[in-house]
Amino acid sequence: MNTIKNTGFRTIGGYQLSLLSRNDLKQLSEAADACEIERLRFTPSSQIAVSCTSEEQFSQFFQRIKPILKPLPTNGISTIFCCGGCNDCDHGLADTDHLASLLQTMDLPVPMPAKLKVAIAGCPRCCTMPRLRDVGLSPYSGKSRKWNLSFGGNGGIKPRIGDVIGTGLGLDEVLALIHKAVTLYQKEAKSGMRTATFVEHVSKDVFLEKLHQ
Ligand code: SF4
């Protein structure tokens, strides 16, 4: 387990939350009580950050809630931002959870040059901001169950809207194109270079040409 220090908070690294049942919430609350955790927050990437005063307190809390956490992907994807899609949102058009689980286990070359964040949105409202992530997915249309795919997006200090590299793709097609784009990035980007910088470095046209050749 890696830990990341925040101001007064520590994030439980390497794990994130999935959907929480009532029992999971109870377990979380009981663990916070037992370990005297004063404050807790959920990060934008569905991780848990807690205020704590000692390594022991942090470790005990982690052990207690470990059963309700799921490990982050180990294939080079650092985070998958995923809304509930058709499984738990009235606007949802697509099964985002299924796509997320396929990406979580996708066989990719590692190590990645830098963080690789993926976002999946269940409808065009795009609550997970896919165009601002390294890999972004949103439904192509309500009935087709197809996907739009963008690559090279970034938020933060130097925001960049990802380039649309595929539209109206079926599940197999979108997975194949993600694999191709990420593999190209992994092979050609310099260490520490995020996808947004990489696409600008090689130029969007050259990147697209290599991707579709
Ligand atoms: S993008 Fe937002 S509105 Fe659309 S399905 Fe996801 S959570 Fe619901």
Side-chain angles (χ1 to χ4, degrees):
M1 173 189 58
N2 302 317
T3 62
I4 306 156
K5 285 193 178 178
N6 290 323
T7 316
F9 276 85
R10 293 178 72 180
T11 301
I12 297 177
Y15 291 84
Q16 65 183 158
L17 291 164
S18 49
L19 202 62
L20 293 175
S21 68
R22 195 191 319 172
N23 278 340
D24 294 336
L25 282 170
K26 201 172 157 200
Q27 197 170 339
L28 194 58
S29 171
E30 285 173 355
D33 260 352
C35 300
E36 299 183 337
I37 298 291
E38 294 295 333
R39 293 182 298 157
L40 178 154
R41 71 180 176 84
F42 304 117
T43 73
S45 54
S46 298
Q47 290 180 280
I48 291 188
V50 291
S51 65
C52 56
T53 54
S54 70
E55 186 63 43
E56 193 187 346
Q57 184 190 25
F58 185 78
S59 174
Q60 281 177 2
F61 180 70
F62 168 64
Q63 290 305 329
R64 279 177 177 264
I65 65 162
K66 198 173 173 186
I68 64 171
L69 300 175
K70 67 174 181 185
L72 287 172
T74 54
N75 59 357
I77 294 176
S78 19
T79 314
I80 301 178
F81 300 89
C82 182
C83 75
C86 63
N87 297 318
D88 69 6
C89 178
D90 288 346
H91 299 297
L93 304 171
D95 190 346
T96 49
D97 289 335
H98 180 54
L99 184 52
S101 68
L102 294 173
L103 290 174
Q104 201 145 17
T105 53
M106 181 181 270
D107 188 15
L108 293 168
V110 288
M112 287 295 155
K115 280 184 189 170
L116 186 76
K117 298 182 179 180
V118 176
I120 307 170
C123 82
R125 288 169 179 80
C126 289
C127 299
T128 50
M129 298 185 286
R131 295 290 297 278
L132 293 179
R133 311 295 185 191
D134 298 285
V135 176
L137 294 129
S138 57
Y140 173 66
S141 82
K143 292 177 184 162
S144 62
R145 298 192 179 198
K146 295 191 173 186
W147 295 93
N148 292 338
L149 174 62
S150 63
F151 190 84
N154 192 32
I157 293 172
K158 202 177 169 195
R160 182 177 191 273
I161 295 177
D163 301 302
V164 175
I165 61 172
T167 59
L169 303 170
L171 189 58
D172 289 345
E173 291 172 307
V174 82
L175 291 171
L177 192 53
I178 291 169
H179 191 278
K180 203 169 175 188
V182 172
T183 301
L184 186 60
Y185 161 68
Q186 196 269 348
K187 288 200 169 125
E188 297 200 359
K190 293 178 188 161
S191 176
M193 192 181 256
R194 292 288 296 271
T195 59
T197 313
F198 169 67
V199 173
E200 300 220 322
H201 177 72
V202 295
S203 91
K204 178 184 162 185
D205 289 345
V206 170
F207 175 69
L208 290 177
E209 200 182 307
K210 286 186 176 190
L211 190 61
H212 294 297
Q213 70 190 2

